[in-house]
Amino acid sequence: YGDHRDLHRLIRRQRQMCIRDRYNALTVREFLSFIAKLYDVPEDIFESNVKTLSEIFGIAPYMEKYIGTLSKGYQQRVLVVSILMRNPSVYILDEPFYGLDPHGIHLLKTILTEKAENGDALVLVASHILPLIQEFATKIGIIYKGRILLEKEGRLEIEKIPATFLEKLYLESIKEVERLENMDTSEI
């Protein structure tokens, strides 16, 4: 049990740890189980979904490893599995492709596209990787300083549009907003 000062130091250290550090101290299985309980995922669905998704995303061999020991890419795969295992009707994802390798990106794009196209879920993805979004989004909105500058509906025909299309559209949109913001009102 040790000296009470050790206990106080340990408690102080625990308080100072950020949430991320606490998750890093969990095994992959513990983390996924925690998320499942947090979202009331029934145990049988949890086991089935985690088994399938951990194999698909290649994290099955790491289920007993601590999250903090995994590479950034595998940590991101764990987060992706933690979201997909819940099978929500709405996905709101902020930079879900960050840290994933090309194979992981392809898997996630495929799963999200299938869920949206089958009507199983509404999928909203925020990302700065515009060529990637251009590949699979069916509705695109450009947001700058909290305002929607542009909305485009319908899948973009990749073969006909350069990969830099959205990037150019974004840059032109914010340039116009900044021009208008800097315009003297007497010029109107």
Side-chain angles (χ1 to χ4, degrees):
Y1 292 19
D3 186 353
H4 74 281
R5 287 176 298 207
D6 291 337
L7 180 59
H8 287 292
R9 273 194 291 272
L10 178 62
I11 291 170
R12 196 169 35 252
R13 193 172 131 245
Q14 287 292 328
R15 285 184 186 157
Q16 293 170 347
M17 289 174 61
C18 71
I19 297 293
R20 183 180 186 101
D21 290 338
R22 291 177 193 219
Y23 291 139
N24 286 339
L26 297 175
T27 66
V28 171
R29 181 173 305 284
E30 289 169 337
F31 173 75
L32 294 174
S33 178
F34 169 73
I35 296 298
K37 287 175 184 167
L38 190 65
Y39 287 92
D40 295 321
V41 177
E43 192 169 338
D44 58 330
I45 293 173
F46 164 75
E47 290 297 334
S48 173
N49 288 354
V50 166
K51 182 178 183 340
T52 302
L53 290 167
S54 66
E55 289 171 6
I56 289 172
F57 282 92
I59 64 168
Y62 305 101
M63 295 300 283
E64 303 310 320
K65 301 280 185 196
Y66 290 102
I67 291 176
T69 65
L70 301 177
S71 70
K72 173 64 181 159
Y74 275 91
Q75 288 179 8
Q76 187 71 1
R77 286 175 183 232
V78 170
L79 291 175
V80 166
V81 169
S82 78
I83 294 164
L84 294 175
M85 74 174 184
R86 294 181 267 144
N87 205 23
S89 58
V90 177
Y91 290 85
I92 301 174
L93 306 170
D94 185 20
E95 300 291 354
F97 305 105
Y98 176 74
L100 292 178
D101 63 5
H103 181 65
I105 290 170
H106 174 76
L107 288 170
L108 184 55
K109 276 192 326 186
T110 301
I111 290 170
L112 294 177
T113 299
E114 285 175 5
K115 287 185 175 295
E117 287 177 352
N118 294 340
D120 296 334
L122 171 67
V123 179
L124 176 64
V125 176
S127 180
H128 291 94
I129 310 172
L130 300 180
L132 180 61
I133 295 302
Q134 184 175 321
E135 283 180 33
F136 80 102
T138 57
K139 184 172 184 179
I140 296 170
I142 294 179
I143 300 172
Y144 180 68
K145 292 185 177 180
R147 294 190 309 207
I148 297 175
L149 301 182
L150 178 79
E151 287 184 67
K152 176 142 180 59
E153 194 150 346
R155 191 173 299 271
L156 299 172
E157 295 182 42
I158 298 304
E159 308 81 39
K160 298 178 183 172
I161 299 173
T164 57
F165 172 74
L166 279 181
E167 182 179 342
K168 287 180 182 172
L169 200 56
Y170 173 80
L171 293 172
E172 288 171 9
S173 297
I174 63 170
K175 184 191 256 183
E176 181 63 15
V177 167
E178 289 173 348
R179 186 187 71 75
L180 290 172
E181 286 177 343
N182 295 327
M183 182 185 290
D184 185 358
T185 55
S186 64
E187 295 177 40
I188 299 178

